[in-house]
Amino acid sequence: MSNPFLEDDGPQPPKALKAPVEIAANLRQLQQDHDPLFITFHERSQHFQSYLIEVDREKNRLILDEMIPSDGERFLQNGEPFRIEAFHDGVRVAWECLQTVKITEHQGSRCYFSPMPKEVHYHQRRNAYRAPLKQSEQVQVELAGNKKLRTPIKGQLLDISATGCKLRLPGDASHSLQAGQVYERFTAQLPFGPLTLAVELRHVGYEEKLDTTFVGVRFYRIGGLEQRQVERFVYQLQREARRFDSDGLL
């Protein structure tokens, strides 16, 4: 079974998944990594955010978390079709929902039952390898800014590439952060010394069930020394991952 998230690191042309097993496998990647879903309704300019709670192949459905802001629910009640877009490891994932969505509850929380898509479009655009960190490799990070974020926010590094990284921050930090904003002081405590540089925040999403904020940032005007630090750490993670995979085959 092919997995578009594991293909070559270079940019790929847009493709479409149609096999149910492939669709389910790749949507589970979004679920497991808590990647935010961006929802737009046809002929409407508003954008909404959600998360995948469950991918259920047996019942041929997806369970989506309550939309943010929640007033988008009235469009669901009207039966309006919508589009979902997400980003995972440099892959843009998108699908259409043209069928009726059921508004209900799951484990005591508001959610939506949506039919499993029959086709998922994906487009791998990043040309930089993104290395995930295992739980045993936790790297502490701190995000701060001269004007926009005077009180630093601390968290952990989830993954990193030559161009950016994904962070996990405890609690709801979404009100303090703004997509598109540049924060001058991002510090990651790498094994061989601290890395400090400016970052541009690309997306931010708070998951209430985990009481955790997930943030994606891009390195901003990175200098030569910092770039070498990043590339050294990415290469180290990549080498360890390959050694782990090799050991697992023995």
Side-chain angles (χ1 to χ4, degrees):
M1 180 184 67
S2 65
N3 184 335
F5 297 131
L6 299 179
E7 292 182 356
D8 294 339
D9 295 328
Q12 303 287 325
K15 298 181 182 180
L17 289 176
K18 295 184 180 181
V21 64
E22 288 187 312
I23 289 174
N26 289 288
L27 293 182
R28 285 198 182 99
Q29 293 278 355
L30 303 178
Q31 173 197 348
Q32 292 166 2
D33 282 15
H34 310 290
D35 294 312
L37 309 181
F38 303 100
I39 298 175
T40 53
F41 289 86
H42 294 191
E43 300 180 359
R44 296 188 182 276
S45 59
Q46 291 171 278
H47 291 72
F48 303 90
Q49 185 172 301
S50 181
Y51 292 89
L52 259 174
I53 297 175
E54 188 174 313
V55 178
D56 191 335
R57 275 200 68 204
E58 290 186 5
K59 296 182 179 179
N60 197 37
R61 74 181 183 192
L62 305 177
I63 301 181
L64 306 177
D65 203 0
E66 184 176 14
M67 279 194 292
I68 305 170
S70 60
D71 58 357
E73 223 174 72
R74 69 180 185 272
F75 303 139
L76 292 182
Q77 292 170 337
N78 293 339
E80 296 186 28
F82 59 91
R83 182 176 183 82
I84 296 179
E85 182 180 53
F87 297 88
H88 179 92
D89 284 356
V91 180
R92 175 185 174 273
V93 186
W95 66 96
E96 300 271 355
C97 185
L98 306 177
Q99 299 169 273
T100 302
V101 171
K102 181 180 179 181
I103 303 174
T104 182
E105 287 194 354
H106 178 70
Q107 298 180 351
S109 299
R110 193 77 157 179
C111 71
Y112 318 116
F113 288 174
S114 169
M116 186 82 72
K118 294 182 179 180
E119 183 174 290
V120 168
H121 296 267
Y122 70 89
H123 184 196
Q124 183 167 338
R125 300 179 299 182
R126 178 181 292 124
N127 56 8
Y129 174 80
R130 183 171 287 270
L133 277 79
K134 298 191 287 287
Q135 288 291 331
S136 59
E137 301 171 329
Q138 282 197 359
V139 169
Q140 302 301 312
V141 299
E142 183 175 281
L143 189 61
N146 296 334
K147 297 180 180 179
K148 297 293 184 178
L149 195 62
R150 294 183 181 277
T151 302
I153 299 178
K154 297 183 179 182
Q156 290 83 38
L157 191 67
L158 286 178
D159 62 37
I160 185 170
S161 76
T163 57
C165 58
K166 187 174 181 180
L167 317 176
R168 177 178 57 224
L169 310 176
D172 185 1
S174 61
H175 301 298
S176 304
L177 303 172
Q178 181 181 351
Q181 181 63 50
V182 173
Y183 297 94
E184 296 86 354
R185 295 192 309 280
F186 167 76
T187 302
Q189 300 297 331
L190 303 185
F192 43 80
L195 167 72
T196 302
L197 72 169
V199 295
E200 178 189 357
L201 196 145
R202 303 306 303 274
H203 64 78
V204 56
Y206 172 64
E207 184 152 348
E208 185 176 0
K209 293 179 179 60
L210 300 174
D211 192 27
T212 300
T213 302
F214 294 93
V215 173
V217 301
R218 181 172 64 182
F219 301 137
Y220 185 76
R221 296 180 180 175
I222 186 170
L225 176 60
E226 292 80 8
Q227 187 71 64
R228 287 191 291 274
Q229 283 182 280
V230 170
E231 291 174 354
R232 175 185 174 187
F233 186 49
V234 170
Y235 176 73
Q236 177 180 314
L237 293 173
Q238 188 176 19
R239 184 177 55 189
E240 290 174 357
R242 286 175 175 168
R243 183 167 60 241
F244 177 82
D245 290 343
S246 175
D247 291 345
L249 294 174
L250 296 178

